[in-house]
């Protein structure tokens, strides 16, 4: 017997994105607000949005499932960065100026989406080492509100 798979539920969302970077005693915070789409089904969520930075336009997709997530970036910069709590993962960060080896150690990952209210939050805290340099500590927080 053939059964239909449940489709992803789609919501248009406004994303408030806050990135905190701590390297040694220096701490910086970056804020942006963009619009995007949120797809959700069972235990998987996908957040898709575009952003412009100093290098140009970047298309971002964040896929979250359980205690793991992946950020796929394509455009002016490109990477596939994996976040798995307690696990060291490797990736390559491609920029207009060349490729950088990146190592990520994920400390915490939290995601909550309220389908009724069309709102939620995604937070990931991780250490990132580029080209073998001492790591910086990063926090990425996305607050989502349905439009």
């Amino acid at each position: 017997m053939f059964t239909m798979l449940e489709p992803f539920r789609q919501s248009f969302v406004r994303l408030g994105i806050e990135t905190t970077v701590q390297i040694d005693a220096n701490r910086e915070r970056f804020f942006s607000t963009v619009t995007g789409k949120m797809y959700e089904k069972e235990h998987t969520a996908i957040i898709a949005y575009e952003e412009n930075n100093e290098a140009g336009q970047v298309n971002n997709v964040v896929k979250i499932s359980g205690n793991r997530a992946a950020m796929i970036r394509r455009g002016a910069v490109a990477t596939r960065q994996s976040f798995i709590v307690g696990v060291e993962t490797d990736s390559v960060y491609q920029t207009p100026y060349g490729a950088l080896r990146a190592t990520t150690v994920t400390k915490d990952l939290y995601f909550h989406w309220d389908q009724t209210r069309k709102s939620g939050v995604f937070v990931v805290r991780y250490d990132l080492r580029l080209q073998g340099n001492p790591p910086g500590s990063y926090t990425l927080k996305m607050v989502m509100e349905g439009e």
Side-chain angles (χ1 to χ4, degrees), residues 78-144:
T79 191
R80 179 183 171 86
Q81 187 175 11
S82 295
F83 301 101
I84 306 169
V85 175
V87 175
E88 183 175 292
T89 59
D90 294 318
S91 61
V92 175
Y93 190 75
Q94 187 67 46
T95 74
Y97 313 105
L100 301 171
R101 287 186 337 262
T103 302
T104 302
V105 177
T106 305
K107 298 176 186 177
D108 297 307
L109 189 143
Y110 174 78
F111 174 74
H112 175 74
W113 175 253
D114 185 320
Q115 180 64 30
T116 305
R117 292 190 171 131
K118 301 274 193 246
S119 65
V121 65
F122 170 65
V123 180
V124 61
R125 289 185 333 110
Y126 59 98
D127 288 340
L128 178 67
R129 191 170 52 245
L130 291 172
Q131 295 292 103
N133 291 317
S137 294
Y138 290 71
T139 301
L140 171 64
K141 180 179 181 181
M142 297 177 149
V143 176
M144 298 158 280

